[in-house]
Amino acid sequence: MSRPSDHSLIYTLLGGIAALIIVHGIGRFAYTPILPLMREDGLTLQQGGWLAATNYVGYLLGALFTVFSHGDRIQRLRGGLLVSIATTLLMGLTHALPAWLLLRFVSGLSNGVVFVYAANLVLERLALAGRSALGGLLYSGVGAGIVLSGLLVLAVDQAGWGWQAAWWGLALICALLLHPAWQLQAAAPQAASAKPAPAVRTPAYLLVVAGYGCAGLGYIVSMTFLPAIIRATPGMGGFAAWSWVILGLAVIPSSLFWSWAAQRWGEVPALLAACGLRAFGVMGALWAPDRFGAGASGLWLGGTFLGIVVMAMMLARKHDPHGGSRTVGVMTSAYGLAQIIGPLITAALAARPNAIGLALQIATVVLLLGAVCLIASALLQRRAAADFFVKLEEQQPCRT
């Protein structure tokens, strides 16, 4: 089979970036900068937490659907793109909480499906062309979508058009990006799957899964409520959307940087560094309630968001090298469940003073617990390797 041409690779990469802008950068995360405007129109903090959790439930189910269900990836991807755009548009056409809950759930489903299929289609074609190193550019679509949503919400807020206009404007942007995303094609017919390898359940691997789940809960409260926290801070209302733009700009190059860091330092040291920076990002807006603190929060959260995902997946594949989709499913489940729990914690604390602050403190503790899990996993792995070599030496025949 001939390798794809450079022009074909560029179109494929741009199509993948456009798809991730539509379903993830906007479809999933545009809710975060719009949330403060919706709260000023009567949405409560508790309801905001429910809406976020519902979307994350949909994302988890959508991602797992791609792992355990086989079918025409192209048709499913295109259907998911249309559903994502429709749900973004419809969010601005109703004030009913049940309708919002349904729309955010369906948006999450389409996001999970498109995110997995688009990434797989692009990475397959890059691998076929021997250009896998360009894969990190694909995830810049998430950051680009976050930047676009932040800038549009900023413009809508300054013009006084209301949160409905923000949803409509973002749906229009998604519609304009639909054409390149629609052109994504499979690199080759999918081969029949072989008999799956036995599942890996070593303590070291399970600790990686647990650490990844903790990292998911440790960031999702901030990724859901950061602009709302900043907008509620006296004198900081106008900087809320800008903090989201900073976060998105930090996301764009982050996966490339952390991929390099993991290769240079090793996955566990690089993950620990990213978790430490993320902890500062989670608490930064509370520790320094000014533009510096808000900007630093956006920078550290955005700069570690995708990096932890990429490095944790790399580490999990080392523990379960033949797991394939099963490894992705296990890791996605842990991360997805944690992301559902985070907003629900915030919703449960809504009646307390400084509810978001308490939720962020809980998130930081969980994030640090995840770092402990990663350290314990590395120590267990090192001990297992040492025991293996000791047994190997014992099995060698004595030579005289």
Side-chain angles (χ1 to χ4, degrees):
M1 179 179 291
S2 61
R3 290 188 175 187
S5 66
D6 288 344
H7 284 94
S8 173
L9 288 179
I10 292 172
Y11 290 135
T12 297
L13 194 53
L14 290 177
I17 290 171
L20 295 197
I21 291 174
I22 292 170
V23 301
H24 211 73
I26 290 177
R28 181 176 192 179
F29 284 124
Y31 172 71
T32 299
I34 298 175
L35 176 60
L37 305 184
M38 296 178 71
R39 288 197 64 199
E40 291 174 0
D41 198 29
L43 185 73
T44 68
L45 178 62
Q46 185 179 56
Q47 292 169 340
W50 291 343
L51 286 172
T54 300
N55 181 254
Y56 302 149
V57 170
Y59 175 78
L60 173 61
L61 295 178
L64 292 178
F65 171 79
T66 67
V67 173
F68 298 109
S69 175
H70 303 288
D72 189 329
R73 293 183 295 172
I74 301 300
Q75 293 304 316
R76 291 177 176 183
L77 180 142
R78 290 175 175 175
L81 288 168
L82 294 175
V83 169
S84 181
I85 296 172
T87 54
T88 300
L89 176 67
L90 292 172
M91 280 295 294
L93 295 176
T94 180
H95 285 72
L97 180 63
W100 281 339
L101 289 168
L102 177 62
L103 288 171
R104 293 308 290 159
F105 174 75
V106 174
S107 176
L109 279 174
S110 64
N111 179 15
V113 170
V114 174
F115 190 94
V116 173
Y117 283 149
N120 285 340
L121 291 169
V122 173
L123 295 177
E124 283 173 6
R125 292 184 72 86
L126 292 176
L128 183 63
R131 306 292 292 273
S132 296
L134 297 176
L137 294 175
L138 168 67
Y139 299 102
S140 65
V142 178
I146 290 174
V147 171
L148 286 171
S149 65
L151 290 175
L152 188 137
V153 170
L154 184 68
V156 165
D157 189 27
Q158 291 180 344
W161 291 340
W163 57 266
Q164 297 95 331
W167 286 113
W168 299 336
L170 289 170
L172 176 60
I173 291 174
C174 291
L176 295 174
L177 291 168
L178 180 61
H179 178 72
W182 199 266
Q183 306 309 310
L184 284 172
Q185 296 290 337
Q190 291 175 277
S193 57
K195 183 179 179 180
V200 172
R201 296 189 180 91
T202 63
Y205 171 63
L206 295 177
L207 282 168
V208 170
V209 175
Y212 187 54
C214 289
L217 195 153
Y219 97 102
I220 199 58
V221 176
S222 294
M223 287 292 285
T224 304
F225 296 105
L226 178 63
I229 296 168
I230 296 170
R231 194 174 180 89
T233 302
M236 290 286 291
F239 195 72
W242 280 115
S243 69
W244 196 240
V245 173
I246 292 170
L247 187 149
L249 290 172
V251 169
I252 292 173
S254 63
S255 59
L256 290 174
F257 169 78
W258 288 110
S259 295
W260 169 86
Q263 292 176 359
R264 187 172 182 85
W265 306 335
E267 286 91 354
V268 172
L271 274 167
L272 293 175
C275 287
L277 291 174
R278 177 175 284 186
F280 283 108
V282 170
M283 296 301 297
L286 295 180
W287 288 342
D290 53 24
R291 295 195 174 197
F292 174 80
S297 283
L299 180 64
W300 298 132
L301 285 171
T304 58
F305 163 42
L306 286 179
I308 289 178
V309 173
V310 170
M311 292 186 291
M313 287 294 184
M314 291 168 60
L315 185 60
R317 289 191 186 100
K318 284 190 174 181
H319 285 272
D320 189 9
H322 304 295
S325 296
R326 180 188 62 227
T327 302
V328 175
V330 170
M331 294 288 281
T332 300
S333 297
Y335 205 68
L337 287 172
Q339 289 181 108
I340 295 165
I341 294 170
L344 291 178
I345 290 174
T346 307
L349 296 172
R352 298 189 176 214
N354 192 28
I356 295 181
L358 290 173
L360 290 176
Q361 291 173 28
I362 294 171
T364 303
V365 171
V366 173
L367 181 60
L368 296 177
L369 179 61
V372 173
C373 289
L374 292 173
I375 293 171
S377 173
L379 293 174
L380 285 175
Q381 190 74 355
R382 185 177 300 177
R383 180 178 176 181
D387 290 344
F388 171 79
F389 285 112
V390 168
K391 291 179 180 178
L392 191 63
E393 291 179 358
E394 292 175 348
Q395 292 172 2
Q396 295 296 324
C398 296
R399 294 182 181 179
T400 57

